[in-house]
Amino acid sequence: MTQDIYPFKEIETKWQSFWEKEGSFKTTRSNDKPKYYLLEMFPYPSGKIHMGHVRNYTIGDVVARYKRMRGYSILHPMGWDAFGLPAENAAIENRIHPVTWTQENIFYMRNQLKSLGFSYDWDLEISTCDPDYYKWNQWFFLKFYEKGLVYKKKAPVNWCETCKTVLANEQVINGRCWRCESEVVIKELEQWFFRITAYREELLGDQNLLGQWPERVLLMQKNWIGKSRGTLIYFKAVGSGEVISVFTTRADTIFGATYVVLAPEHPLLKDLIRGTEYEEEVRRFTEKFQRPTDFTPDEVEKEGIFTGRYALNPVNNQEVPIWVANYVLMEYGTGAIMAVPAHDQRDFEFARRFNLPIKVVIQPEGGGLSEETMEMAYEEEGFLVNSNRFNGLPSQEAINSITTWMTEEGIGREETIFRLRDWLVSRQRYWGTPIPIIYCQDCGTVPVREENLPILLPLDLDIYREETSSLSKIERFVNTTCPKCFKPAKRETETMDTFVDSSWYFLRFISPKEERLPFDSSLANYWMPVDQYIGGIEHAILHLLYARFFTKVMSDLGLFQTREPFKNLLTQGMVIKDGAKMSKSKGNVVDPDEIIDRFGADTTRLFILFASPPEKDLEWSDQGVEGIFRFLNRVYRLVMKWADQLPVTNYQLQNLEGEDKKIHSFTHKTIKRVTEDLERFHFNTAISRIMELVNELYQYEPKTSKGIGVLREALEVLSLLLSSFAPHLSEELWERMGSSSSISLRSWPAHNEEAIKEEEILMVVQVNGKLRGRLTVFKDYPPEKIKELALSDERVKPWFKDKEIKKVILVPQRLINIVTT
């Protein structure tokens, strides 16, 4: 390092103090400005922020600062998702109370975020473990209860023995707990559920109301909701008359069903095997293979056992054996399938392994399929054979005809099913929102009265002294009075899933001090929906679906008008190092504090955006960080060289010639390019444009008063364009150039069309030779940049959506032709 290093520690401390003193980022509602609600997913207060946090929040801060300079009223809050298992685990491990651990972590992480210069309105800060917040979790529970959206039932649940708690389906990953990675088992318990299935059609259909959401996220939610239209078919168990209902989307294959398979958790199984010679063996099998419901059947080796019982195929009255297998799940359909091994690969593999019959009932055009020679199932459509009166029909026609016939015969019916199940919200843990229910021997289950909220979480439980952390350990909490008969009663001792906390927090940010309701309805109607939401792809199901559900219920409760919480969604990639996600176990963690201390917050911010597009994974590079630091030093030296020689006002930019005209044009070209890139969240290319401008300015030596004016304008533009990315340095340079006001109060620069007019050309965009749009580009744009702009043009994209692009033909300065299959 040399004496040319700019004093980043001094500068960053100075401007962070200035912003806090001046209240630079206070939220203001204005009828004269459009609103913009910018929100990053709030963090769990784990102790220290990591580079994933830095990336997420830097992306959000750049957008917030940019939109503020573009004239928007900005809501940009921050808070803490503070309940949950990690605090309990830390309390047990470190012998410290969760509330102490959480509060200390919040204090430290808040200071870390402030050290990065993020433009949050800290007056809006919330913490979900604060009674002023979780009171409203309880209030929502009661309102949901009144609407019939809450119920309790005994059900098989995913149980983590290490964490000693129930997990939602979404919290089980590959059969293991998402927190501690212990194996998850199935256990039957009385549990509270939210009836999210009441909104399944709307959750699916309202995807059309969403703005810019990643297609991958929409598909993940669509698949999780899992709407399927098909046929429900009734197989009667021989000897008992029990009806085993199976769901299929391929009723055309019913005549090829050669056995029935039940999931290990199927409710009829115990009755079917009772008293049979297979009972004990089947029972042991089901205990072994009862699994969490997140795993994909194709991922496991297929195991099964014969129950000793048979069922009648309703279309031909043939007896088919009833099996139990690990590749059938209760979460899918009815928990039972008709196995058609000739036309389903999983059934085929199972049948071959256990020597079960295979019967071809669908032939491709031209025939040729044979049970004896088949090496894999034929799963495509075709023409029916071995199907009695339906022989010769094509598959689609046969599906309709067979379903109609079965409906008439009373052996089946058309059915629509969903994969989505109700949201299990009970947790057998301490550090969470107490469920506001009382159990009375005389009155039964009684909701707590609203005026008695919040039901406070007692803070005197030394959970690290207990084998399990549960509210049931605290007698003074458990023992209460029934609100109806006033006799002694017991409180519910389970707490709510922490996803309840994050399902509406974005609304509490709007009015965190509101005491009458969860939030101010008039403010909610003004600020909602969130205009831009930013967070990880891992929350595509766990959080986003629940937040959408909550929003719809809150709207139906009359609290506000919005039906969808997040208009646009950006899912950023991970930060990785040495080819792997940063983790302590891999020894590849980069501490943000160390980088900030060594290079400064602006360097950290700029690198995290420059190294990769936001939606892609970012490979950490120490050399890359150093390169960004050198760049910021170049910017500092450039401005400091000229700062005292620049006129503050009255500089002339008319009738420019030569180098003066070139720099003036390049400056305005940069404004346009950076603006376009920021609108598309192409932060890395926007930074590249700014770097190009710096390079040009280093080669420029103004020789006239007009030239000095050109340089003054260029350095102002440089500072303004850089201010979203490196706000501390930009503020300092702005002040050094003689401005008396903060750069954060300035408007975003507008490019001069006349200055760049001769540099622009109009190009035609074709799809398969047909005109679909026009594109204005600069003459010196490289071919790849022009192709990128054409492919991202919203007017052109619909013409090649869902098609494979074979090639993109570029005729320089004339046209781009996108050729598809």
Side-chain angles (χ1 to χ4, degrees):
M1 302 299 180
T2 71
Q3 60 182 358
D4 294 327
I5 295 175
Y6 83 99
F8 60 86
K9 290 185 178 180
E10 175 187 328
I11 290 172
E12 290 173 2
T13 300
K14 168 185 174 181
W15 288 105
Q16 288 166 18
S17 299
F18 173 84
W19 295 329
E20 185 166 356
K21 179 182 177 181
E22 296 296 318
S24 299
F25 309 118
K26 300 297 184 191
T27 303
T28 57
R29 175 178 173 176
S30 173
N31 294 326
D32 300 326
K33 296 180 179 181
K35 68 92 179 177
Y36 196 86
Y37 188 174
L38 189 286
L39 183 65
E40 305 100 54
M41 294 180 183
F42 65 167
Y44 185 83
S46 56
K48 296 184 74 174
I49 63 171
H50 53 67
M51 279 301 172
H53 289 131
V54 174
R55 190 181 194 196
N56 187 3
Y57 304 144
T58 301
I59 291 170
D61 194 59
V62 168
V63 176
R65 288 176 177 274
Y66 168 69
K67 290 293 185 179
R68 185 177 286 108
M69 295 176 76
R70 291 301 301 266
Y72 287 84
S73 291
I74 301 297
L75 175 62
H76 190 209
M78 176 52 64
W80 313 97
D81 193 7
F83 273 141
L85 282 177
E88 293 195 28
N89 294 339
I92 294 169
E93 181 179 349
N94 301 314
R95 301 184 64 79
I96 184 174
H97 196 282
V99 70
T100 304
W101 186 82
T102 301
Q103 289 174 351
E104 288 178 353
N105 289 348
I106 288 175
F107 177 81
Y108 188 83
M109 292 176 70
R110 184 193 299 116
N111 287 335
Q112 284 185 299
L113 295 180
K114 288 184 176 181
S115 74
L116 281 156
F118 295 140
S119 58
Y120 297 123
D121 182 350
W122 286 103
D123 287 348
L124 304 179
E125 181 181 9
I126 61 172
S127 175
T128 61
C129 66
D130 188 325
D132 288 342
Y133 185 88
Y134 69 72
K135 166 186 178 178
W136 300 109
N137 286 348
Q138 297 169 341
W139 187 86
F140 281 124
F141 188 99
L142 297 178
K143 292 300 179 183
F144 282 30
Y145 190 89
E146 291 173 7
K147 287 179 65 66
L149 295 174
V150 177
Y151 65 92
K152 193 174 189 181
K153 72 172 183 178
K154 193 170 186 178
V157 296
N158 304 315
W159 179 261
C160 175
E161 185 60 35
T162 301
C163 297
K164 297 189 182 303
T165 190
V166 167
L167 302 176
N169 296 337
E170 298 88 342
Q171 294 168 312
V172 182
I173 301 174
N174 296 326
R176 295 187 175 275
C177 174
W178 74 313
R179 286 291 191 192
C180 70
E181 297 187 354
S182 298
E183 186 174 356
V184 174
V185 298
I186 298 296
K187 193 173 184 178
E188 281 209 345
L189 292 174
E190 288 279 343
Q191 301 288 290
W192 287 101
F193 290 83
F194 282 170
R195 203 182 302 274
I196 190 174
T197 54
Y199 285 80
R200 59 195 181 187
E201 286 281 11
E202 190 175 350
L203 288 167
L204 189 61
D206 281 1
Q207 284 193 345
N208 297 325
L209 301 180
L210 303 174
Q212 295 296 318
W213 277 48
E215 288 294 333
R216 181 165 60 138
V217 173
L218 294 176
L219 181 61
M220 290 169 73
Q221 289 207 3
K222 182 178 180 180
N223 290 341
W224 191 257
I225 296 168
K227 182 178 182 179
S228 297
R229 291 186 176 89
T231 310
L232 198 65
I233 304 175
Y234 312 133
F235 286 73
K236 287 187 178 180
V238 176
S240 72
E242 293 278 8
V243 175
I244 301 172
S245 298
V246 304
F247 175 82
T248 180
T249 58
R250 292 295 301 272
D252 56 327
T253 66
I254 177 63
F255 288 89
T258 57
Y259 58 101
V260 170
V261 190
L262 306 183
E265 303 87 1
H266 198 286
L268 292 180
L269 184 57
K270 289 182 180 179
D271 290 336
L272 285 172
I273 64 174
R274 185 174 292 115
T276 69
E277 59 181 297
Y278 297 90
E279 182 175 4
E280 185 59 27
E281 190 177 359
V282 173
R283 186 187 62 77
R284 287 197 299 269
F285 176 89
T286 57
E287 288 178 354
K288 177 182 178 183
F289 285 103
Q290 281 190 344
R291 291 177 176 270
T293 52
D294 79 303
F295 84 103
T296 301
D298 295 330
E299 297 174 348
V300 299
E301 184 178 356
K302 294 166 183 59
E303 299 283 350
I305 188 170
F306 177 46
T307 64
R309 299 294 299 273
Y310 291 82
L312 294 177
N313 184 332
V315 298
N316 54 22
N317 286 323
Q318 291 182 356
E319 290 190 2
V320 294
I322 302 172
W323 283 66
V324 183
N326 65 336
Y327 74 97
V328 178
L329 304 178
M330 281 305 300
E331 290 295 296
Y332 292 87
T334 63
I337 66 165
M338 62 175 201
V340 186
H343 305 293
D344 183 281
Q345 185 61 28
R346 291 176 303 165
D347 298 343
F348 180 85
E349 293 169 2
F350 191 84
R352 284 285 195 239
R353 178 171 184 179
F354 293 100
N355 297 314
L356 294 167
I358 297 174
K359 181 180 179 182
V360 172
V361 293
I362 305 289
Q363 286 282 4
E365 190 170 356
L369 287 183
S370 168
E371 293 89 347
E372 292 76 18
T373 60
M374 291 181 74
E375 296 183 356
M376 61 185 300
Y378 176 74
E379 297 184 323
E380 306 301 319
E381 296 182 0
F383 297 88
L384 271 64
V385 296
N386 300 319
S387 300
N388 297 346
R389 60 193 283 188
F390 302 101
N391 284 340
L393 291 180
S395 290
Q396 284 301 317
E397 184 179 339
I399 289 172
N400 296 330
S401 297
I402 290 174
T403 301
T404 299
W405 171 66
M406 284 196 292
T407 303
E408 294 170 351
E409 295 293 321
I411 57 176
R413 70 172 187 271
E414 187 176 2
E415 184 80 349
T416 298
I417 67 163
F418 292 82
R419 179 177 184 245
L420 181 68
R421 297 295 184 261
D422 283 332
W423 176 7
L424 191 161
V425 296
S426 296
R427 294 297 179 269
Q428 293 68 43
R429 302 296 292 186
Y430 161 70
W431 190 239
T433 300
I435 292 175
I437 290 292
I438 292 172
Y439 299 106
C440 175
Q441 190 170 354
D442 294 334
C443 304
T445 300
V446 183
V448 171
R449 297 182 186 276
E450 283 185 34
E451 58 267 27
N452 293 332
L453 297 181
I455 305 302
L456 291 173
L457 183 70
L459 299 180
D460 56 354
L461 175 65
D462 294 335
I463 67 169
Y464 45 82
R465 299 181 187 274
E466 308 288 348
E467 290 184 5
T468 60
S469 57
S470 170
L471 290 172
S472 61
K473 301 283 183 180
I474 309 175
E475 289 190 9
R476 64 176 180 79
F477 175 84
V478 175
N479 296 321
T480 188
T481 302
C482 174
K484 285 188 176 180
C485 67
F486 305 106
K487 293 180 180 179
K490 303 287 186 181
R491 290 194 188 279
E492 173 62 77
T493 59
E494 295 184 348
T495 53
M496 294 186 205
D497 179 9
T498 54
F499 283 112
V500 175
D501 302 334
S502 58
S503 291
W504 70 280
Y505 78 107
F506 43 90
L507 281 154
R508 187 63 179 175
F509 274 138
I510 291 172
S511 49
K513 307 301 182 186
E514 175 62 47
E515 297 180 351
R516 299 164 302 144
L517 287 169
F519 49 85
D520 185 305
S521 295
S522 63
L523 289 176
N525 284 327
Y526 173 79
W527 286 110
M528 289 296 290
V530 173
D531 294 278
Q532 185 63 58
Y533 200 33
I534 303 171
I537 190 71
E538 67 272 16
H539 297 295
I541 296 172
L542 283 84
H543 160 57
L544 293 172
L545 196 64
Y546 292 156
R548 295 182 62 216
F549 163 62
F550 244 79
T551 298
K552 294 178 186 304
V553 179
M554 290 187 289
S555 178
D556 288 341
L557 288 170
L559 295 174
F560 71 132
Q561 298 170 356
T562 304
R563 301 298 292 181
E564 287 290 341
F566 314 121
K567 183 177 180 181
N568 300 305
L569 173 68
L570 173 65
T571 52
Q572 87 281 356
M574 295 186 299
V575 180
I576 60 178
K577 190 172 188 291
D578 304 325
K581 181 181 179 181
M582 288 186 182
S583 70
K584 292 180 181 178
S585 62
K586 293 185 174 67
N588 64 348
V589 172
V590 176
D591 187 346
D593 287 348
E594 294 179 5
I595 302 300
I596 294 169
D597 182 66
R598 186 178 176 193
F599 298 107
D602 283 343
T603 295
T604 308
R605 293 166 57 112
L606 207 61
F607 170 77
I608 211 82
L609 296 175
F610 180 65
S612 174
E615 69 278 4
K616 304 292 184 183
D617 288 346
L618 182 155
E619 177 71 41
W620 184 265
S621 166
D622 293 334
Q623 294 79 12
V625 176
E626 292 170 2
I628 291 295
F629 185 64
R630 288 193 297 271
F631 165 69
L632 290 180
N633 274 280
R634 291 188 75 215
V635 173
Y636 181 78
R637 291 195 299 269
L638 174 66
V639 176
M640 294 305 294
K641 174 184 176 181
W642 295 102
D644 296 334
Q645 305 176 47
L646 301 175
V648 177
T649 57
N650 300 323
Y651 48 86
Q652 300 298 315
L653 300 177
Q654 286 79 34
N655 303 316
L656 299 174
E657 296 179 350
E659 284 296 306
D660 297 343
K661 184 177 182 180
K662 176 186 173 184
I663 292 297
H664 180 62
S665 177
F666 197 92
T667 299
H668 285 266
K669 190 188 303 182
T670 302
I671 294 172
K672 182 174 183 180
R673 288 173 172 175
V674 171
T675 304
E676 291 172 346
D677 285 337
L678 283 176
E679 289 292 336
R680 297 192 298 266
F681 297 163
H682 291 185
F683 306 117
N684 55 328
T685 56
I687 296 168
S688 293
R689 310 291 186 205
I690 297 171
M691 290 177 170
E692 291 168 2
L693 177 60
V694 171
N695 289 338
E696 291 291 328
L697 295 179
Y698 257 94
Q699 300 173 35
Y700 178 57
E701 288 286 343
K703 296 181 174 57
T704 65
S705 59
K706 286 186 178 180
I708 291 293
V710 167
L711 182 61
R712 168 80 195 195
E713 178 195 47
L715 293 178
E716 283 185 353
V717 166
L718 170 62
S719 300
L720 289 165
L721 297 183
L722 196 59
S723 63
S724 293
F725 302 100
H728 309 88
L729 178 58
S730 299
E731 288 275 22
E732 183 70 15
L733 299 180
W734 193 252
E735 183 183 69
R736 293 296 184 97
M737 285 190 287
S739 177
S740 59
S741 63
S742 166
I743 199 172
S744 63
L745 300 177
R746 296 290 299 218
S747 297
W748 187 257
H751 69 275
N752 185 330
E753 285 288 347
E754 289 299 317
I756 63 175
K757 189 173 183 180
E758 63 183 30
E759 300 292 329
E760 290 184 333
I761 55 173
L762 184 66
M763 298 186 70
V764 168
V765 182
Q766 299 176 340
V767 178
N768 295 326
K770 295 184 178 179
L771 176 64
R772 298 304 185 193
R774 291 178 173 82
L775 198 63
T776 301
V777 299
F778 292 108
K779 287 182 180 180
D780 60 351
Y781 267 172
E784 291 306 315
K785 177 66 176 178
I786 296 174
K787 291 178 182 179
E788 176 191 343
L789 290 172
L791 291 171
S792 62
D793 192 313
E794 295 298 329
R795 297 163 299 180
V796 178
K797 284 167 67 175
W799 296 103
F800 59 83
K801 185 180 180 182
D802 302 325
K803 296 179 181 177
E804 181 183 352
I805 297 175
K806 294 178 66 177
K807 56 184 175 180
V808 180
I809 301 170
L810 175 66
V811 179
Q813 301 189 22
R814 288 185 56 196
L815 64 84
I816 309 103
N817 185 22
I818 301 167
V819 182
T820 69
T821 53

